[in-house]
């Protein structure tokens, strides 16, 4: 309730400030605001630079718990393009768009650009009681899995869609954007082919996450089986005795050499399971905790997904 009230106050303040004049748009150059790292990096590759490009969740924080500031709302209102996920995690974005006093603002919700999957509870997975409470009062279909960017196939589709949006906004540079996007999509497709080749030649087809599981789109792409402690958007952090016992038994039953955790996790559940099974603990990067500092140091979507492929190679052999 406190979060809702604070967001309402932010929107009221931002609306009053935006109504005073749209002076930020009078300066030259595109202004693009993204909520998180994946879409930031896709657009950076389309533009060929990060000039005029801003990322709101830039401190390595979790998109699921992010709350926009009044300055964030103002930045969105003065942008040419606003790109957000479009799921439960950034549901605040709809309010920000309604408060924007900018008829020329174009907005793209990424979950509208690809086919989505429902978040599911696999065998042995700890059920998220907060998630259950939300669904019981929602009245809608089951919650969609938001982690669409962890499919290289989706990344290619999203890049193409974002390129078209940029070409509409800035037709003068459309040829450059299309050339850059095509080159980037070719790299995404090539890496997708490498993933498929590694998985085709692997000894196993099962992954076990002693953590949250945001990789459903990836496992769906390559027909991998998975077990996990929690669903991808789960707010739970402690696994029950039953969940721990299930994951330990599965690790032993399948003789898995590797169990997985994800970025931003303390890895404690994985270490406990490792202690019982002897399996090695490795971490896959879900691109959810990439900060502006990481970007300056060279982090990008392609090299993160390349590193993830090497983890998968070891986990599946």
């Amino acid at each position: 309730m406190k979060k809702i009230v604070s967001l309402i106050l932010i929107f009221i303040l931002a609306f009053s400030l935006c109504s005073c004049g749209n002076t930020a748009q009078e300066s030259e150059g595109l202004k693009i605001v993204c909520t998180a790292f994946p879409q930031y990096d896709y657009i950076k590759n389309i533009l060929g630079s990060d000039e005029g490009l801003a990322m709101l969740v830039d401190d390595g924080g979790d998109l699921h718990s992010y709350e926009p500031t009044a300055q964030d709302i103002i930045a969105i209102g003065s942008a040419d393009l606003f790109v957000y996920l479009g799921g439960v995690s950034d549901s605040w974005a709809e309010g920000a768009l309604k408060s924007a006093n900018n008829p020329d603002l174009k907005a793209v919700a990424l979950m509208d650009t690809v086919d989505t999957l429902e978040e599911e509870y696999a065998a042995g997975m700890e059920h998220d009681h907060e998630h259950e409470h939300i669904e019981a009062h929602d009245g809608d279909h089951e919650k969609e899995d938001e982690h669409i960017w962890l499919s290289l196939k989706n990344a290619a589709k999203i890049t193409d869609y974002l390129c078209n949006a940029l070409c509409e906004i800035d037709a003068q540079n459309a040829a450059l954007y299309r050339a850059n996007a095509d080159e980037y999509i070719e790299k995404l497709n090539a890496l997708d082919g490498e993933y498929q080749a590694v998985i085709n030649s692997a000894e196993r087809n099962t992954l076990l996450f002693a953590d949250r599981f945001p990789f459903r789109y990836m496992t769906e792409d390559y027909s991998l089986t998975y077990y996990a402690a929690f669903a991808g958007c789960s707010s739970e952090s402690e696994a029950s005795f039953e969940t721990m016992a299930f994951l330990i038994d599965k690790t032993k039953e399948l003789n898995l050499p590797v169990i997985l955790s994800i970025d931003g996790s303390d890895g404690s559940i994985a270490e406990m399971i490792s202690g019982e099974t002897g399996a090695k603990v490795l971490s896959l990067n879900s691109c959810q905790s990439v900060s502006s500092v990481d970007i300056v140091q060279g982090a990008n979507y392609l090299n993160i997904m390349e590193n993830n492929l090497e983890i998968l190679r070891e986990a599946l052999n």
Side-chain angles (χ1 to χ4, degrees), residues 47 49 68 147 270:
L47 296 176
S49 76
H147 306 90

Side-chain angles (χ1 to χ4, degrees), residues 78-110:
S78 64
D80 298 295
L81 176 64
F82 173 49
V83 184
Y84 62 110
L85 184 56
V88 173
S89 293
D90 60 5
S91 56
W92 55 265
E94 297 298 332
L97 288 170
K98 288 177 183 177
S99 70
N101 185 33
N102 179 2
D104 297 323
L105 171 61
K106 184 176 182 62
V108 174
L110 296 189

Side-chain angles (χ1 to χ4, degrees), residues 61-82:
D62 190 344
L63 180 63
H64 300 89
S65 58
Y66 175 75
E67 293 186 34
T69 65
Q71 289 301 316
D72 292 338
I73 305 302
I74 293 167
I76 292 168
S78 64
D80 298 295
L81 176 64
F82 173 49

